[in-house]
Amino acid sequence: MVDHGRRRPHGPQAEAGSRAEDVPSARVAAVPRLSIGLPVYNGERHISEAFEALLGQTYEDFELIVSDNASTDGTSEICLRYARQDSRIRYIRQERNIGLVPNHIFVLKQARGELFKSAAHDDLYARDLLLRCVQALDDDPHAVLAHSWSAVVDSSGSVVGTFGPGVALNVPRAPDRFRNILYEGSHDYEYAVIRTSALRRMRHQGSYHLADRTFNVELALHGGFHQVEDWLYFRREHPAPLTQDVRERCTTLDPRRANRLRHPVVRLYGEYVWAYLAAIRRAPLSTAERWECFRILSRYLASRAVPVMGESLTHNRLRQDPLSRAPSIPVDVIVAGRDKSLPDESAGALA
């Protein structure tokens, strides 16, 4: 594992606990307030766009931790070029491909900031995304994360649809948040700006059946979700197989899941159910709240046991929320770097 991190030269330091609007332009604290983790594997086609969008943020007190999962294309050269230009970037190359989920866990373990955001190498981010989310968390100390509305873009960066605004998750009672997010499903909350302390109280995201859903549910048990009501996050969708069975999906997350003896399908489902139970047990709940969550979970699992078991996962099912009609969003105006002529890099696989 090779670490190409560099220390950024600083002026007077901003205090780690300062509010977002108190951090002057181009000033980064010795320990940055926000850590951004960017795991990548063979991402040469789009990673330059992600760098431009993240480094062009109006909120600048962050470190960008890039973990290259032993890419075999030009990803390494692109990352090193940007790292030489901006010392907020810490580039680390894994000696071998450790898998998607272990690579996500790795960047979180490297984080120094009190806030953390996962970033995908092929997504786009409006200039004010970080600023608006950090301000939201400053204004609401009970919120565990802040995230904007999400739109979906194609390979060229054109908006093709949106995710719905979702249900209320900034309500005070943990059982109410638990019920709402259980029935809503996954909604990209893992790409929000999240309090690092909450992430470190939780179990790391797994690689079992629908592990991202249990991760989001556990987050909701630790605090409210603040939604910034603006289109600031753009998730890039790629053509994908129409169906993926459970093992194929889990092996994509962690290659060790391909072992049928160690990881039979029943285990991949079993870990999914157990993750909910363990999350309720770990969460900072009263005894009454804990038992209420157990009752909500039992009704939820009973209502879904028959249709889910043994079923293939279609691409649309994984997304959960259907795309609405694409709104008019000026992506090229609000995302840094979209007005530049970036290098034409050949296609790469998802991180």
Side-chain angles (χ1 to χ4, degrees):
M1 180 170 59
V2 182
D3 186 339
H4 295 277
R6 298 167 59 203
R7 179 178 287 273
R8 183 182 178 89
H10 308 299
Q13 295 178 359
E15 295 182 3
S18 61
R19 291 173 57 84
E21 60 265 33
D22 295 333
V23 179
S25 176
R27 182 181 298 177
V28 180
V31 177
R33 190 170 181 211
L34 170 66
S35 296
I36 303 173
L38 197 163
V40 60
Y41 173 71
N42 283 2
E44 66 177 4
R45 181 177 181 183
H46 296 297
I47 195 168
S48 291
E49 292 181 85
F51 276 132
E52 293 286 336
L54 290 169
L55 298 175
Q57 291 288 305
T58 53
Y59 183 84
E60 297 184 324
D61 188 12
F62 65 83
E63 62 179 345
L64 178 54
I65 306 161
V66 182
S67 179
D68 181 353
N69 208 2
S71 294
T72 58
D73 63 358
T75 296
S76 179
E77 290 76 10
I78 297 169
C79 292
L80 288 170
R81 185 173 74 242
Y82 276 93
R84 287 191 292 267
Q85 296 170 2
D86 194 315
S87 55
R88 290 175 295 179
I89 298 174
R90 181 181 173 193
Y91 172 69
I92 303 162
R93 179 174 171 84
Q94 304 293 338
E95 295 176 356
R96 59 179 178 82
N97 190 323
I98 61 176
L100 190 153
V101 165
N103 206 23
H104 277 262
I105 294 171
F106 176 83
V107 293
L108 174 58
K109 288 182 176 180
Q110 300 297 310
R112 298 180 296 158
E114 65 178 275
L115 304 174
F116 181 81
K117 174 179 170 54
S118 286
H121 78 270
D122 51 352
D123 289 345
L124 298 174
Y125 314 90
R127 288 182 180 85
D128 289 339
L129 173 65
L130 298 183
L131 179 66
R132 298 277 299 277
C133 288
V134 174
Q135 286 177 339
L137 291 175
D138 285 342
D139 293 337
D140 186 356
H142 299 292
V144 73
L145 67 78
H147 196 29
S148 73
W149 289 342
S150 301
V152 179
V153 296
D154 60 18
S155 60
S156 69
S158 299
V159 175
V160 296
T162 65
F163 288 95
V167 298
L169 293 173
N170 206 22
V171 293
R173 294 187 70 251
D176 293 336
R177 296 193 302 269
F178 182 71
R179 179 188 297 105
N180 290 348
I181 195 170
L182 264 182
Y183 286 93
E184 181 194 24
S186 182
H187 203 72
D188 276 341
Y189 296 118
E190 61 269 30
Y191 290 106
V193 175
I194 307 172
R195 298 192 193 277
T196 309
S197 59
L199 290 171
R200 289 182 172 154
R201 289 195 301 267
M202 295 168 47
R203 187 177 180 181
H204 292 304
Q205 183 169 338
S207 56
Y208 45 82
H209 173 61
L210 296 180
D212 55 345
R213 182 182 295 178
T214 61
F215 178 82
N216 290 330
V217 167
E218 182 165 4
L219 268 174
L221 290 172
H222 286 263
F225 291 8
H226 185 101
Q227 191 160 68
V228 175
E229 297 183 350
D230 204 351
W231 306 106
L232 301 175
Y233 171 59
F234 304 97
R235 171 176 165 175
R236 201 183 302 263
E237 291 287 293
H238 300 274
L242 292 178
T243 61
Q244 264 190 324
D245 65 27
V246 172
R247 181 173 303 283
E248 290 170 336
R249 168 69 173 164
C250 294
T251 301
T252 299
L253 299 177
D254 189 335
R256 291 173 294 187
R257 295 295 192 174
N259 188 317
R260 294 177 178 271
L261 293 177
R262 284 182 172 271
H263 303 281
V265 170
V266 66
R267 175 178 176 177
L268 303 179
Y269 282 115
E271 288 184 31
Y272 165 68
V273 175
W274 177 252
Y276 285 129
L277 297 170
I280 296 171
R281 293 179 63 186
R282 279 191 299 266
L285 305 172
S286 68
T287 300
E289 289 175 328
R290 207 177 308 278
W291 281 108
E292 185 176 352
C293 288
F294 281 134
R295 288 192 295 271
I296 293 168
L297 177 63
S298 64
R299 289 193 293 269
Y300 171 80
L301 293 176
S303 69
R304 279 155 171 74
V306 174
V308 170
M309 293 300 289
E311 187 178 75
S312 293
L313 296 175
T314 66
H315 185 57
N316 288 333
R317 181 178 177 82
L318 285 172
R319 176 161 39 216
Q320 298 297 316
D321 294 321
L323 292 176
S324 64
R325 183 175 179 179
S328 177
I329 304 172
V331 176
D332 291 347
V333 175
I334 64 176
V335 175
R338 292 290 295 175
D339 56 345
K340 297 181 180 180
S341 178
L342 295 174
D344 183 15
E345 293 140 358
S346 58
L350 291 173

